[in-house]
Amino acid sequence: MNDPDSGLGADGARDPQDAVRAWHRLADSSVLLDGFHALKHAVRFQARIPVAVTADREAALALADDLASDVRVALDGLLVEVAEATLKALVPRPHPTSVAALALRPSRAANLESLARMPRRTPVVVLDNPRNLGNAGAVIRLAAGFGATGVVTTGSLDPWHPTVVRGGAGLHFATAVERLTVDELPPGPVFALDPEGEDIRGLKLPDDAVLAFGSERSGLSAELRARTDHLVSLPMRPQVSSYNLATSVAMTLFHWSATGNATFPRSAAATPLR
């Protein structure tokens, strides 16, 4: 959707110079949507998108026809074609789809309200001091797919970093994504993944669970461990060191969805995110 403060016309201005001016004015305070798929998901989940550019409108809209017909009309109104050199000046490493956009970050107050609201029908995922931007993005994509209430990170990693947003395919707008301290975590029983924990296969994870995952290198912090109500472990063959962070989150959310009250239409559950 277009934003009235962007300087672009309500019908999706086609003037490349207007688009470039809006981009420069908004870039420092906006979320970069890097590529067609990030823009597609942001549109689906009602992100406010003041400017979107592409080096090839025809190709971008053809992608929409093939992969996202539900947002084709919206993208037709948003996308402004610019020269390839202009796109590279705005985004030094353009996505292969030659599409980029800026979106307004959701209200932190609204996200915090969503995370704190009880009773909660789906878990919150906590990444305790994560290090890898791509892993964080993959987790946000998973959380969106399972309908999790939100993803919270602790520590220094910015969950809205452009690399995280790219890894999440723009699905930050489908769930509440915030960085908090351990003391600020949402309410609910904390189930933290740890090799010494109880086998998850014998547990039913409640819908209001806070599912916590430690750093890829050092595991759970002392602060998070002190806040934990239940230590939980994933089944793993002996002598295998660990799972990738996103894999661990996927296994845990799947276990919750299979044993809790998660409701997905079967056709949707079987369809990968595109």
Side-chain angles (χ1 to χ4, degrees):
M1 62 187 67
N2 290 337
D3 184 80
D5 298 325
S6 68
L8 301 182
D11 60 347
R14 296 288 186 264
D15 187 335
Q17 292 183 345
D18 285 348
V20 170
R21 282 193 289 267
W23 188 287
H24 286 307
R25 186 170 69 253
L26 298 168
D28 289 343
S29 59
S30 299
V31 177
L32 174 63
L33 301 174
D34 187 14
F36 174 84
H37 300 289
L39 175 59
K40 167 194 72 179
H41 282 133
V43 170
R44 279 180 177 164
F45 290 98
Q46 305 301 309
R48 296 177 64 195
I49 302 167
V51 56
V53 296
T54 177
D56 191 337
R57 257 180 63 87
E58 184 177 351
L61 293 176
L63 269 179
D65 288 332
D66 290 342
L67 302 177
S69 59
D70 57 309
V71 297
R72 205 272 189 195
V73 171
L75 294 182
D76 187 27
L78 279 170
L79 285 167
V80 179
E81 184 163 302
V82 298
E84 186 173 351
T86 301
L87 179 62
K88 288 182 177 179
L90 298 176
V91 186
R93 296 178 59 190
H95 191 272
T97 55
S98 296
V99 171
L102 296 177
L104 304 187
R105 182 168 170 171
S107 160
R108 178 174 171 85
N111 274 348
L112 294 178
E113 181 182 357
S114 176
L115 290 166
R117 188 179 302 125
M118 296 291 274
R120 193 166 56 233
R121 298 181 60 187
T122 61
V124 171
V125 173
V126 175
L127 303 183
D128 185 28
N129 202 25
R131 298 298 186 185
N132 186 283
L133 296 167
N135 275 346
V139 167
I140 291 166
R141 184 169 181 169
L142 280 165
F146 278 96
T149 295
V151 176
V152 170
T153 64
T154 70
S156 60
L157 183 144
D158 177 9
W160 286 88
H161 186 283
T163 301
V164 183
V165 177
R166 182 171 183 168
L171 283 160
H172 284 59
F173 297 93
T175 189
V177 177
E178 290 295 338
R179 177 168 51 178
L180 302 174
T181 66
V182 171
D183 290 340
E184 295 170 328
L185 292 182
V190 177
F191 289 76
L193 276 289
D194 185 87
E196 302 304 317
E198 184 178 354
D199 191 322
I200 196 172
R201 290 172 292 182
L203 297 174
K204 180 178 179 180
L205 299 174
D207 295 339
D208 63 354
V210 176
L211 305 176
F213 301 82
S215 166
E216 298 93 334
R217 292 185 180 178
S218 55
L220 297 168
S221 67
E223 294 81 4
L224 196 288
R225 190 177 289 273
R227 174 77 186 272
T228 295
D229 298 296
H230 307 276
L231 288 177
V232 180
S233 65
L234 295 169
M236 186 164 53
R237 180 181 178 180
Q239 298 184 313
V240 175
S241 299
S242 64
Y243 293 121
N244 172 272
L245 175 61
T247 301
S248 296
V249 175
M251 293 171 70
T252 305
L253 285 174
F254 181 82
H255 179 78
W256 161 74
S257 73
T259 61
N261 297 319
T263 55
F264 300 108
R266 288 194 176 273
S267 60
T271 302
L273 292 173
R274 296 192 294 174

